[in-house]
Amino acid sequence: MQKVLFVCTGNTCRSPMAAAIANDAFKDRGMAFWATSCGVFAVDGTTASPHALITMSDRGLDISAHKAKMVQTEEVSAAYIILAMTRGHKDHLTALFPEHKDKIHVMNVDDPFGGSRKLYEACADQMKQYIEAFNWEEYI
């Protein structure tokens, strides 16, 4: 299985939601990918935000066991594809791991942290659309 790594800032909202959405899509399509997540400024062990938990639960996805983790060399090296939430995340990752720059892509998803439940829903919808439209076959 090829590992997909989603990266955001704190690894409590966007990237864990994106990993859950992607894993569900991979399973439905029978694709040989597995998604995980991390953050460029994550506090290791932090749980997913309450709105992220509810948003995913409403979609039948469980991220209650999620614990945030800071991006690590091993995670980046093991990833086949890295999907950063913003251009800033990509730039940060490229500065830290220039040898992996070719596998880093940008999703352009704004951070819902501290926002309303509706904002989290919109964020999840946007990520789902991106994940469904991404040309995964190019990476098989």
Side-chain angles (χ1 to χ4, degrees):
M1 268 205 192
Q2 300 294 347
K3 181 177 177 180
V4 176
L5 181 63
F6 288 93
V7 181
C8 68
T9 306
N11 192 219
T12 62
C13 301
R14 290 173 289 181
S15 58
M17 289 195 305
I21 292 166
N23 283 327
D24 190 52
F26 298 153
K27 184 177 119 189
D28 285 349
R29 295 180 187 176
M31 299 176 78
F33 290 104
W34 178 252
T36 62
S37 66
C38 62
V40 294
F41 296 113
V43 176
D44 288 339
T46 305
T47 60
S49 72
H51 284 325
L53 289 165
I54 294 167
T55 299
M56 292 295 95
S57 179
D58 285 352
R59 294 163 188 254
L61 303 173
D62 183 7
I63 61 170
S64 62
H66 173 76
K67 299 291 184 208
K69 59 185 170 188
M70 178 72 105
V71 64
Q72 299 290 325
T73 302
E74 299 80 22
E75 290 277 326
V76 172
S77 296
Y80 194 65
I81 303 167
I82 300 169
L83 294 168
M85 294 296 143
T86 67
R87 182 66 177 176
H89 293 130
K90 179 180 179 175
D91 292 346
H92 187 84
L93 291 167
T94 301
L96 290 174
F97 311 103
E99 67 278 17
H100 297 292
K101 69 180 180 189
D102 292 338
K103 61 182 174 182
I104 305 170
H105 305 271
V106 178
M107 292 180 70
N108 288 320
V109 178
D110 290 332
D111 193 353
F113 186 76
S116 68
R117 173 104 182 279
K118 191 172 187 172
L119 187 59
Y120 277 77
E121 291 289 341
C123 178
D125 288 342
Q126 181 184 5
M127 290 187 295
K128 183 174 177 156
Q129 288 173 358
Y130 182 92
I131 289 164
E132 288 177 352
F134 192 80
N135 187 11
W136 299 105
E137 289 72 24
E138 180 180 331
Y139 297 93
I140 295 176

